[in-house]
Amino acid sequence: MLNIDSLQNGIVIDHIKAGTSMMIYDLLDLGELDCCVAIIKNARSEKFGKKDIIKIDGDIDIDLEILGFIDSSITVNIIRRGVIAEKKELELPKKLKNVIQCKNPRCITSIEEEVDHIFLLGGDKKYRCAYCEQEFHPGPSR
């Protein structure tokens, strides 16, 4: 059995859909951190069959809001002194920046390369481009 030490202080992102932990690693810019980050892929899960887990060692502050957009079944545990001190509830973020792209060919984001792709959450729980108001529809390509 693989042994990953328990954390004294840090963050555990659990119940990640199997195979998607590297996408989360990239979206959260975890490669930029100067601390130990462990990615456990295809761990056994009674609930999902398989799951991924990310453990981040250290008392750090990162924006985890994007996780609510990726998958609402993800759980986030804040570890302090070796125990779970806080469980974060995930919600849909009000704003997404450079996570999804506008598919409108006339949108400024399609014409200008340096423009950030910004989507805002509407009252109907749908994301729309901040520039052209094109509604985001999830599909095979992001």
Side-chain angles (χ1 to χ4, degrees):
M1 178 88 185
L2 180 64
N3 184 22
I4 304 290
D5 291 336
S6 60
L7 298 176
Q8 286 304 304
N9 294 296
I11 300 170
V12 176
I13 305 171
D14 199 356
H15 300 105
I16 301 168
K17 182 180 174 187
T20 61
S21 58
M22 289 308 295
M23 177 186 64
I24 291 172
Y25 181 90
D26 291 336
L27 285 171
L28 294 178
D29 290 326
L30 297 180
E32 304 298 316
L33 297 177
D34 189 26
C35 63
C36 184
V37 177
I39 296 174
I40 304 158
K41 293 182 69 172
N42 298 316
R44 276 183 252 131
S45 169
E46 289 181 24
K47 190 174 182 180
F48 300 112
K50 290 183 180 180
K51 66 179 179 177
D52 289 358
I53 304 167
I54 298 175
K55 291 185 175 188
I56 306 166
D57 187 25
D59 191 16
I60 58 165
D61 185 29
I62 58 175
D63 184 6
L64 300 169
E65 194 174 63
I66 188 67
L67 298 176
F69 172 74
I70 295 169
D71 185 351
S72 62
S73 65
I74 292 174
T75 58
V76 177
N77 297 316
I78 307 301
I79 310 298
R80 293 192 189 103
R81 294 184 207 100
V83 296
I84 297 174
E86 180 184 352
K87 289 182 177 250
K88 292 203 178 257
E89 295 290 323
L90 297 180
E91 297 178 0
L92 289 173
K94 292 178 180 20
K95 178 180 176 181
L96 296 173
K97 182 178 176 184
N98 296 326
V99 176
I100 53 180
Q101 295 183 350
C102 186
K103 296 178 182 175
N104 180 354
R106 293 184 300 248
C107 181
I108 191 166
T109 59
S110 297
I111 300 164
E112 299 289 331
E113 290 184 24
E114 299 298 318
V115 177
D116 288 326
H117 292 262
I118 298 173
F119 280 77
L120 303 174
L121 182 65
D124 57 359
K125 300 292 184 199
K126 295 181 180 178
Y127 286 96
R128 288 184 176 75
C129 177
Y131 307 104
C132 71
E133 297 189 8
Q134 173 78 32
E135 185 177 313
F136 171 73
H137 295 282
S141 62
R142 285 183 356 117

